[in-house]
């Protein structure tokens, strides 16, 4: 067969990066537009190539001859065996030609890195979509999820690529032309692939625990590496995970090599420093510019928050949470004139019949007076890790995990509508001790200048109580020891006890039985002195890896997961109360059982209120507080004043919380939030404050948890803004401080000025 005029094919050679077009003209094969050759092209004699590509053996023979000829003319003389020609069909030839031209330059490695990052980010998003299949809304909004996901993936890779861009700009011109340098580049790509895949696995486990992409919780975990690494080691089969990631990285590396794009990039011709500098500057400006302009606030709200979470990039969200871990309220949220905000808060906190004091309009100091004689029982507050209300049969009849708590609740005062302020242990501590709304960013427990504040412990100490914080883990975690130690509490944690006092422990702390044994010992010592005591006891067993001593309950340790941990904590509390009943101080002690937060905070709405519902049970074996139920909507910040009201105490207060027994139930409210979103629930109205000065109001259906967006109510908005703005102001100005004995005496004097 004769060669027909005009027949052409596009081709490229790996890894030298030669691209061109072959065509027949006047009986000669001609190749033009050759990238990587100074002469721009050459001619190939027709001899030996007289047959057109056909099928079968004829096509194979023709191509073999053609490739041998091109290899002799184009391949690097010292490395001809790496030449692997590939025919590109005409329709997509132009696009591929453009791509190959960019790959055939020094900064073509950035394109390879972008491709790897975007591909694995897409696979991560698909994997999480499969995992959340029952939670997401399967509508066209998923298309928006993936489109926005691509935007944030580009933003993340833009920032991450900056060091690579600088490196490729500065490496010498002849770099990557030696064999060992090429192998070094391949090793670098392998490490990148491994880390990206490991990130995918990490995001999978994080989503499994929290139902969200990386956020402020992940930032905290990076700070406390000992606990986190220990938790991972005790919770997961690490050899299997590392081996699986390694196998996946090998497969991805093999697939990457098979595409030939790395070989093409490594075969790029030398570039002078000036050209590299110009290209590098362009890449740096584009990458840094796009990454800097893109903001988390660009991501719109979705009707289903799971769809919105999937649109995020985990690495981008992690950096965003780190950057915004201490948000200043007045810079990011809606505000009111300070005097107006304080006026609203002073009005709201006085609804429990307390009386504001002094002439300072920017203080919330007031006097709470309760009729009757004051009771001075001991108070042991057991704060249970991650105890959602749904775990208790008194709230969820389908649950059978807490038989001891069910028995205790029948003899106790139970709060039916009690809500946590946050989703972390330090948030629960903040509310249960300080009675303040959740601050945006980090909690006050972990912020600087959190010493000598007005706490529940300071009120107890003013009445002569011994106060202590007793924790089964290491109290440096979440800054617990510093906060409690610098606010008047004695601190007993895992470091404070002898090794023989620990019979079982995991990375988070000693088992709850050990913790309660330490508590019993402290109570015996305080009772022997005749001094009443108030203990803040913090458990740890209901936390991954969910391990506990075997043989205590009918569920196995670890493999039973959270249900087993909840049931073990219930057992330990029941055993503690049975042992305490043998003590002489038992009848003169009030036992408070409360959660720090729910087990899960993820939901379809931006602030799923139902996932803040926790138990509050006050058990008084001596009859100081009558059993029953309080159905009024109650926040964690209302716990301190309500407890003190139940004891008939009169005291000066700076608490934002109120004695819920003394207010009109229609005025009851709950304050809930995450590290960025701040909510106020009142009746069926729910308002969310968000950066940057955004707010959305909803109608909340308590039956099916549906949120329906409503027009903003200015008065309701002003109330929400006032709570959070005033809390921030008092902290920033260091006015939320403990009262001295002299100040307490003046406040309680009969002639004190209201």
């Amino acid at each position: 067969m004769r060669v027909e005029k005009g027949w052409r094919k596009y081709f490229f050679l790996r890894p030298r990066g030669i691209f061109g077009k072959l065509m027949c003209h006047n009986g000669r094969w001609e190749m033009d537009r050759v990238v990587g050759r100074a002469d721009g092209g050459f001619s190939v004699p027709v001899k030996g190539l007289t047959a057109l590509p056909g099928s079968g053996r004829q096509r194979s023979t023709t191509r073999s001859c053609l490739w041998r000829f091109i290899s002799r003319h184009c391949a690097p003389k010292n490395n001809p065996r790496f030449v692997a020609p590939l025919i590109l069909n005409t329709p997509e030839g132009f696009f591929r030609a453009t791509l190959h031209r960019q790959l055939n330059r020094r900064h073509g490695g950035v394109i390879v890195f972008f491709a790897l990052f975007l591909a694995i980010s897409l696979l991560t998003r698909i994997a999480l979509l499969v995992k959340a299949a029952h939670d997401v809304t399967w509508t066209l909004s998923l298309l928006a999820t993936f489109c926005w996901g691509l935007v944030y993936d580009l933003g993340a890779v833009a920032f991450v690529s900056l060091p690579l861009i600088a490196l490729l700009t500065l490496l010498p011109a002849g770099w990557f032309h030696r064999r060992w340098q090429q192998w070094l580049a391949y090793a670098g790509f392998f490490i990148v692939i491994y880390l990206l895949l490991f990130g995918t696995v990490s995001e999978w486990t994080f989503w499994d625990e929290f139902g969200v992409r990386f956020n402020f919780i992940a930032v905290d975990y990076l700070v406390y590496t000992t606990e986190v690494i220990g938790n991972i080691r005790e919770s997961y089969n690490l050899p299997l995970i590392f081996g699986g990631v390694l196998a996946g990285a090998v497969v991805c590396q093999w697939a990457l090599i098979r595409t030939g794009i790395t070989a093409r990039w490594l075969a790029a011709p030398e570039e002078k420093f000036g050209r590299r500098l110009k290209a590098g500057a362009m890449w740096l400006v584009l990458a840094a510019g796009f990454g800097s302009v893109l903001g988390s606030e660009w991501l719109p709200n979705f009707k289903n928050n799971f769809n919105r979470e999937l649109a995020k990039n985990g690495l981008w969200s992690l950096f965003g949470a780190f950057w915004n871990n201490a948000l200043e309220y007045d810079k990011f949220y809606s505000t009111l004139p300070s005097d107006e905000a304080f006026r609203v808060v002073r009005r709201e906190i006085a609804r429990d019949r307390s009386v504001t004091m002094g002439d300072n309009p920017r203080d919330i100091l007031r006097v709470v007076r309760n009729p009757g004689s004051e009771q001075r029982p001991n108070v042991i507050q057991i704060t249970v890790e991650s105890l959602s209300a749904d775990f208790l049969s008194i709230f969820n009849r389908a649950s059978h995990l807490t038989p001891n708590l069910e028995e205790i609740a029948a003899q106790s005062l139970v709060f039916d509508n009690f809500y946590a302020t946050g989703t972390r242990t330090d948030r629960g501590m903040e509310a249960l001790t300080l009675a303040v709304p959740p601050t945006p960013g980090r909690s006050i427990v972990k912020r600087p200048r959190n010493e000598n504040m007005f706490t529940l412990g300071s009120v107890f100490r003013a009445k002569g109580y011994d106060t202590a914080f007793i924790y089964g883990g290491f109290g440096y975690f979440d800054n617990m020891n510093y906060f409690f130690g610098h606010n008047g509490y004695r601190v007993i944690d895992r470091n404070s006890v002898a090794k023989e006092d620990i019979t079982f422990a995991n990375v988070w702390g000693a088992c709850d039985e050990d913790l309660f044994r330490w508590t019993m010992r402290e109570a015996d010592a305080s009772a022997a002195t005749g001094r009443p005591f108030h203990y803040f006891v913090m458990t740890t067993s209901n936390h991954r890896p969910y391990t506990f001593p075997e043989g205590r309950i009918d569920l196995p340790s670890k493999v039973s997961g959270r249900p087993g941990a909840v049931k073990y904590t219930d057992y330990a509390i029941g055993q503690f109360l049975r042992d305490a009943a043998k003590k002489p101080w038992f009848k003169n002690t009030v036992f408070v059982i409360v959660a720090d937060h729910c087990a899960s905070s993820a939901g379809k709405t931006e602030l799923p209120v139902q996932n803040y519902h926790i138990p509050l049970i006050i058990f008084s074996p001596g009859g100081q507080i009558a059993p029953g139920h309080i159905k009024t909507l109650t926040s964690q910040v209302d716990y301190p004043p309500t407890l003190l009201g139940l004891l008939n105490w009169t005291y000066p207060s700076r608490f934002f919380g109120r004695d819920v027994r003394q207010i009109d139930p229609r005025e009851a409210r709950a304050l809930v939030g995450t590290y960025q979103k701040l909510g106020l629930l009142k009746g069926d109205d729910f308002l969310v404050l968000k950066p940057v000065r955004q707010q959305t109001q909803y109608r909340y259906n308590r039956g099916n948890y549906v949120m329906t967006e409503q027009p903003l109510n200015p008065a309701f908005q002003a109330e929400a803004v006032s709570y959070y703005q005033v809390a921030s102001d008092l902290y920033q100005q260091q006015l939320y401080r403990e009262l001295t004995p002299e100040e307490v005496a003046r406040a309680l004097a009969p002639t004190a000025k209201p």
Side-chain angles (χ1 to χ4, degrees), residues 676-747:
Q676 280 193 334
K677 297 179 181 179
L678 310 171
L680 175 65
L681 175 67
K682 194 171 187 179
D684 294 330
D685 292 323
F686 185 56
L687 191 138
V688 180
L689 304 175
K690 298 170 283 190
V692 178
R693 294 180 172 80
Q694 301 178 61
Q695 50 274 320
T696 309
Q697 185 169 334
Y698 300 94
R699 176 72 64 179
Y700 177 54
N701 187 319
R702 296 173 185 268
N704 56 16
Y705 312 134
V706 170
M707 298 267 191
T708 305
E709 190 168 343
Q710 300 287 321
L712 283 174
N713 180 326
F716 189 46
Q717 179 186 359
E719 183 179 345
V721 168
S722 297
Y723 273 120
Y724 293 106
Q725 180 179 334
V726 169
S728 177
D729 284 350
L730 290 176
Y731 167 74
Q732 295 293 342
Q733 301 299 322
Q734 293 187 274
L735 295 176
Y736 202 82
R737 59 177 179 80
E738 180 179 3
L739 299 176
T740 65
E742 293 76 18
E743 289 173 320
V744 172
R746 284 199 302 270

Side-chain angles (χ1 to χ4, degrees), residues 466-496:
D466 169 41
T467 59
F469 169 63
I470 307 175
Y471 179 50
F474 297 109
Y476 67 83
F477 185 80
D478 273 353
N479 205 43
M480 297 177 191
N481 280 1
Y482 185 90
F483 172 75
F484 282 98
H486 286 78
N487 281 284
Y489 292 80
R490 292 188 298 111
V491 174
I492 299 95
D493 71 346
R494 187 171 174 178
N495 274 329
S496 306

Side-chain angles (χ1 to χ4, degrees), residues 153-430:
D153 291 345
L154 285 170
V157 71
F159 271 132
V160 176
S161 66
L162 294 179
L164 175 63
I165 295 171
L167 178 64
L168 294 179
T169 302
L170 298 176
L171 285 176
W175 199 265
F176 298 130
H177 283 183
R178 295 175 182 267
R179 180 70 61 84
W180 69 269
Q181 294 167 344
Q182 294 179 355
W183 282 112
L184 191 64
Y186 280 115
F189 278 122
F190 182 80
I191 293 172
V192 167
I193 293 171
Y194 187 91
L195 292 177
L196 290 174
L197 290 179
F198 188 80
T200 296
V201 175
S202 301
E203 285 217 64
W204 176 278
T205 57
F206 193 83
W207 186 284
D208 182 57
E209 181 79 8
F210 302 105
V212 294
R213 305 298 287 262
F214 287 147
N215 60 11
F216 68 102
I217 300 176
V219 173
D220 285 348
Y221 280 3
L222 290 176
V223 174
Y224 301 102
T225 53
T226 300
E227 286 77 7
V228 173
I229 293 175
N231 182 37
I232 293 172
R233 188 178 62 250
E234 294 177 1
S235 301
Y236 302 101
N237 187 335
L238 292 187
L240 179 63
I241 291 176
F242 287 132
V245 173
L246 180 64
V250 169
V251 171
C252 291
Q253 179 84 333
W254 173 83
L256 179 65
I257 293 174
R258 289 288 297 172
T259 64
I261 60 175
T262 51
R264 167 166 291 278
W265 169 59
L266 293 173
E270 296 184 5
E271 292 185 20
K272 294 182 179 180
F273 180 72
R275 187 177 182 185
R276 297 199 312 272
L277 185 62
K278 184 177 179 180
M282 182 192 70
W283 276 103
L284 285 172
V285 169
L286 290 175
F290 180 72
S292 300
V293 171
L294 182 64
S296 300
E297 67 277 4
W298 284 23
L299 185 61
N301 289 326
F302 286 66
K303 289 185 178 180
N304 187 333
N305 200 57
F306 283 107
N307 293 47
R308 189 176 190 270
E309 285 294 326
L310 283 173
K312 297 178 181 179
N313 176 276
L315 194 59
W316 176 272
S317 298
L318 181 66
F319 285 134
F322 177 79
W323 186 261
N324 296 316
N325 65 356
L327 295 173
E328 294 185 25
Y329 182 88
D330 58 348
K331 290 184 179 180
F332 292 93
Y333 296 86
S334 299
T335 59
L336 293 172
S338 291
D339 288 343
E340 181 181 349
F342 272 91
R343 186 165 55 252
V344 171
V345 170
R346 286 162 67 96
R347 180 194 69 208
E348 292 300 319
I349 61 177
R351 291 188 185 278
D352 63 355
R353 303 173 190 174
S354 57
V355 180
T356 56
M357 298 194 60
D359 299 323
N360 186 356
R362 297 190 180 184
D363 194 1
I364 60 172
L365 181 64
R366 65 196 188 280
V367 171
V368 179
R369 298 186 185 276
N370 285 291
S373 60
E374 291 188 356
Q375 303 184 73
R376 301 287 181 92
N378 309 307
V379 177
I380 296 179
Q381 175 188 321
I382 302 173
T383 309
V384 183
E385 170 71 40
S386 305
L387 186 66
S388 302
D390 277 349
F391 292 145
L392 279 68
S393 57
I394 58 175
F395 299 108
N396 176 16
R397 294 182 179 179
S399 176
H400 303 287
L401 298 175
T402 56
N404 290 284
L405 290 180
E406 182 178 358
E407 180 181 348
I408 295 166
Q411 311 166 55
S412 305
L413 179 62
V414 179
F415 290 72
D416 294 334
N417 290 291
F418 189 71
Y419 287 82
T421 60
T423 60
R424 297 294 315 281
T425 296
D426 55 296
R427 280 293 183 206
M429 291 177 171
E430 177 185 67

